[in-house]
Amino acid sequence: MDNLSDALKKLKITTTDSTADSLEGCLDCLLQALAQNNTETSEKIQKSGVLQVFASLLTPQSSCTAKVANIIAEVARNEFMRNPCVDAGLIPPLVQLLNCKDQEVLLQTGRALGNICYDSHEGRNAVDHAGGAHIVVDHIRSLCNKTDPASEKLLTVFCGMLMNYSNENDTLQSQLINMGVIPTLVKLLGIHCQNAALTEMCLVAFGNLAELESSKEQFAYTNIAEELVKLFKKQIEHDKKEMIFEVLAPLAENDVIKLQLVEAGLVECLLEIVQKTVDSDKEDDVAELKTASDLMVLLLLGDESMQKLFEGGKGSVFQRVLSWIPSNSHQLQLAGALAIANFARNDGNCIHMVDNGIVQKLMDLLDRHVEDGNVTVQHAALSALRNLAIPVVNKAKMLSAGVAEAVLKFLRSEMPPVQFKLLGTLRMLIDAQAEAAEQLGKNAKLVERLVEWCEAKDHAGVMGESNRLLSALIRHSKSKDVIRTIVQSGGIKHLVTMATSEHVIMQNEALVALALIAALELVTAEKDLENAQLVQILHRLLSDDRSAPEIKYNSMVLICALIGSGKGVGKLPV
């Protein structure tokens, strides 16, 4: 430490008068001390005031420049040293050094700038202001095709510097994207895929940039999908696979890239992982199973990628996904049900799946989760059933298969996501199915639960779906018994309130249901309609210029029904 103190004094007192040899001796002493105890030595360097001296030593002509940059890189590994490095004015001369030709100077300068930028707003701003990122991107472009060890080492440092520079900073990430860094990095990955350190740095940089929408558009114009899948196939270690997954997940949110990944063979890799890890209880295997199956579901969110994998219901991928549903793994059950829900996004697929027995598989899955079941699996299976129930030809088949009864088992659920999907599934099933609507509408337990959920103000989705199902039971059954059940359960006031919804479709559904009540069973509902101030609401709807034409029309239909019944509900508007 005495030597360190002497070296710091010499550096502070004399820089211009020192010979190159004595200067190098001082710098070597600092580097040796940093290697032994970086934190303590960095503190001494900061207190000594030597950082300001370093700024004058960072010149391309000096033989000591690389060592000075190395010292700065080492001290900047400490968080407390990054702002002092900026305050000492080190960024502008470091950025200027990026223009020199000496590889060792470039390497140490890249390290110094990268370390100063790490988690440092001030460091990033200073590098940005000095134009450092632009020069580094140009260097990466010019070095991209060189595969000698020195060039690859320099490329690794420069990629790391850009990563630290832009990490979790949307503005700086956008700046790099606008500089066209993405195609360069993708090219880099392809050329240097044998270099583990550089590959890893590219992946981290991709993960950094891939969150931005603008980056996904640029990635879509490269062969990133092909390169990542090629790289993925080579990986054995869990950590390396995880790193690639972290890039794939945000990229796969883009529909164009989804299709590219499918065409590049990612799905086969994912299915292989599922097969290898499904029976394992090792932590890494469980994590890989989840990541692979989640990513598989994400790929199916794209219309083109989904249809390509469905292959008319005969695709091997579709068949493998079907086998997940009866699995003993909750993760695979969840992924299987979500995959079916994603496949069920057009009528053709839905009809094919219902005709080929998928409904029974989903009902069997739900049966396994009735008592203390997995909420995410319940939600996913109900989502799949809801989507399958959309085509008209599927409704009667699904009702005959007992889907309504299977769904009603979850009426006791206190989980809003499950409640929401349960309601949506029942509403889809009874659409234009009078007999089913009447049967459900006379189910007092169901109607009472709907009325309860109509007041679930903390869960707008559940509240909206409950109102819509209440209305649907009347509209599709046209049954006096259903109306009486709803009146007895206190549901009328909710239908009247629904007529004032901000959504025109819900207003219309409410008004049609209320018109049927007026035409079929006004005597039973009269008091509730009056208490809910139906007449005043109709008056408002008709006099409001913002009311849609169909709302005014259905309001008039309701008024006519009230008049035609022979009894008024309060005083009707003139």
Side-chain angles (χ1 to χ4, degrees):
M1 279 301 159
D2 289 340
N3 289 343
L4 173 62
S5 300
D6 289 345
L8 289 170
K9 282 177 188 172
K10 283 181 186 175
L11 281 170
K12 194 173 179 189
I13 293 167
T14 171
T15 53
T16 51
D17 297 339
S18 297
T19 62
D21 287 346
S22 67
L23 201 57
E24 289 219 28
C26 292
L27 296 173
D28 286 338
C29 181
L30 261 61
L31 284 168
Q32 192 176 357
L34 284 163
Q36 289 171 355
N37 191 327
N38 191 304
T39 304
E40 190 179 327
T41 304
S42 295
E43 285 172 349
K44 286 182 178 291
I45 289 172
Q46 185 187 6
K47 286 174 186 171
S48 72
V50 155
L51 284 177
Q52 284 79 1
V53 173
F54 286 161
S56 62
L57 294 175
L58 292 168
T59 59
Q61 297 80 18
S62 170
S63 61
C64 301
T65 301
K67 283 184 180 175
V68 176
N70 189 359
I71 291 168
I72 296 167
E74 288 301 315
V75 300
R77 289 167 65 180
N78 301 286
E79 186 181 355
F80 67 87
M81 289 298 291
R82 289 168 198 151
N83 284 0
C85 285
V86 176
D87 296 338
L90 298 180
I91 299 297
L94 282 169
V95 169
Q96 282 305 308
L97 286 177
L98 289 171
N99 294 306
C100 83
K101 304 293 182 190
D102 186 294
Q103 279 213 324
E104 183 60 21
V105 171
L106 286 173
L107 187 75
Q108 299 303 341
T109 301
R111 285 185 63 233
L113 289 170
N115 288 352
I116 291 170
C117 285
Y118 185 80
D119 274 354
S120 169
H121 182 67
E122 291 76 9
R124 291 168 182 174
N125 276 350
V127 173
D128 179 26
H129 187 69
H134 206 292
I135 302 170
V136 169
V137 170
D138 285 344
H139 271 303
I140 292 172
R141 280 202 190 99
S142 65
L143 290 166
C144 189
N145 292 310
K146 295 184 177 179
T147 54
D148 59 284
S151 295
E152 289 195 323
K153 193 174 181 183
L154 195 50
L155 279 166
T156 305
V157 167
F158 281 152
C159 286
M161 181 260 164
L162 290 184
M163 181 190 72
N164 287 352
Y165 170 73
S166 65
N167 188 39
E168 294 183 357
N169 187 309
D170 289 0
T171 304
L172 296 180
Q173 287 170 359
S174 295
Q175 180 194 80
L176 293 180
I177 290 165
N178 292 335
M179 286 179 193
V181 75
I182 286 173
T184 304
L185 290 175
V186 174
K187 185 180 175 186
L188 203 65
L189 184 66
I191 294 170
H192 301 273
C193 58
Q194 301 302 325
N195 185 306
L198 183 49
T199 296
E200 194 169 309
M201 208 55 80
C202 282
L203 289 172
V204 177
F206 289 147
N208 205 2
L209 297 170
E211 298 292 342
L212 288 186
E213 273 311 308
S214 56
S215 79
K216 294 182 180 76
E217 292 164 16
Q218 277 206 23
F219 275 119
Y221 284 102
T222 70
N223 64 332
I224 184 69
E226 187 185 328
E227 293 296 350
L228 287 175
V229 172
K230 198 192 309 177
L231 189 65
F232 190 85
K233 286 176 179 176
K234 295 177 187 173
Q235 303 310 316
I236 299 166
E237 295 173 37
H238 168 76
D239 290 347
K240 296 287 170 62
K241 288 181 186 175
E242 200 63 34
M243 192 175 277
I244 300 171
F245 274 140
E246 284 173 11
V247 180
L248 288 169
L251 288 179
E253 289 169 8
N254 178 281
D255 282 359
V256 175
I257 299 175
K258 278 187 184 78
L259 186 59
Q260 291 172 354
L261 289 168
V262 168
E263 289 173 341
L266 178 61
V267 172
E268 288 73 17
C269 295
L270 298 177
L271 290 173
E272 191 178 330
I273 288 174
V274 168
Q275 192 172 350
K276 284 180 180 175
T277 58
V278 66
D279 296 320
S280 172
D281 54 5
K282 288 182 187 172
E283 193 177 334
D284 285 353
D285 288 345
V286 171
E288 270 190 38
L289 175 69
K290 176 171 171 31
T291 308
S293 54
D294 284 350
L295 187 51
M296 182 77 194
V297 172
L298 183 56
L299 291 175
L300 293 172
L301 282 171
D303 287 340
E304 283 189 76
S305 53
M306 176 273 289
Q307 210 56 41
K308 186 175 181 67
L309 294 172
F310 189 67
E311 290 185 79
K314 296 180 174 63
S316 60
V317 173
F318 173 65
Q319 296 301 327
R320 289 278 289 279
V321 167
L322 280 187
S323 72
W324 294 357
I325 295 174
S327 160
N328 290 321
S329 159
H330 282 182
Q331 176 57 37
L332 276 196
Q333 292 170 5
L334 171 64
L338 288 174
I340 296 305
N342 287 341
F343 279 125
R345 288 210 314 279
N346 64 53
D347 283 5
N349 291 5
C350 288
I351 292 164
H352 181 278
M353 285 191 278
V354 169
D355 287 345
N356 284 273
I358 190 64
V359 169
Q360 191 58 52
K361 290 179 189 289
L362 290 168
M363 288 198 300
D364 290 345
L365 177 60
L366 279 174
D367 265 346
R368 295 168 69 180
H369 290 275
V370 174
E371 298 298 331
D372 302 319
N374 184 298
V375 171
T376 55
V377 175
Q378 293 171 358
H379 179 264
L382 289 168
S383 297
L385 287 170
R386 180 199 175 280
N387 288 1
L388 290 168
I390 293 173
V392 177
V393 295
N394 281 357
K395 298 180 194 297
K397 294 174 187 174
M398 291 176 70
L399 286 164
S400 298
V403 172
E405 291 77 10
V407 170
L408 285 173
K409 291 175 186 176
F410 295 90
L411 208 52
R412 291 170 300 183
S413 174
E414 294 301 329
M415 304 304 294
V418 174
Q419 295 167 355
F420 181 74
K421 288 298 178 184
L422 176 153
L423 293 164
T425 305
L426 290 176
R427 187 167 61 80
M428 286 299 156
L429 281 171
I430 64 167
D431 188 13
Q433 305 298 309
E435 190 179 330
E438 182 167 11
Q439 192 178 345
L440 287 174
K442 290 191 291 185
N443 182 329
K445 284 186 179 176
L446 169 62
V447 175
E448 284 165 13
R449 197 70 161 129
L450 293 183
V451 171
E452 181 188 332
W453 288 341
C454 282
E455 294 171 1
K457 291 185 169 60
D458 291 340
H459 303 287
V462 172
M463 189 166 72
E465 276 293 344
S466 298
N467 278 296
R468 294 190 74 186
L469 182 53
L470 213 53
S471 160
L473 291 170
I474 295 169
R475 289 184 294 109
H476 298 304
S477 70
K478 299 179 178 60
S479 161
K480 292 184 177 189
D481 289 337
V482 170
I483 295 169
R484 289 190 200 107
T485 306
I486 290 172
V487 171
Q488 285 161 13
S489 301
I492 296 299
K493 63 182 178 183
H494 297 299
L495 291 171
V496 175
T497 303
M498 184 180 167
T500 65
S501 167
E502 60 183 334
H503 304 291
V504 173
I505 189 166
M506 287 179 68
Q507 283 185 290
N508 269 327
E509 287 172 359
L511 290 168
V512 172
L514 288 167
L516 285 165
I517 291 169
L520 297 171
E521 196 64 27
L522 184 58
V523 174
T524 310
E526 182 181 0
K527 191 174 179 184
D528 287 350
L529 292 170
E530 194 169 345
N531 290 339
Q533 299 188 314
L534 174 63
V535 171
Q536 291 88 329
I537 285 169
L538 288 171
H539 190 281
R540 276 209 311 275
L541 290 174
L542 287 168
S543 57
D544 190 344
D545 292 338
R546 292 167 300 177
S547 291
E550 58 268 39
I551 298 302
K552 292 192 175 187
Y553 173 81
N554 282 325
S555 297
M556 291 300 298
V557 169
L558 174 51
I559 289 167
C560 290
L562 291 167
I563 295 168
S565 69
K567 287 181 74 83
V569 181
K571 188 178 177 184
L572 288 170
V574 179

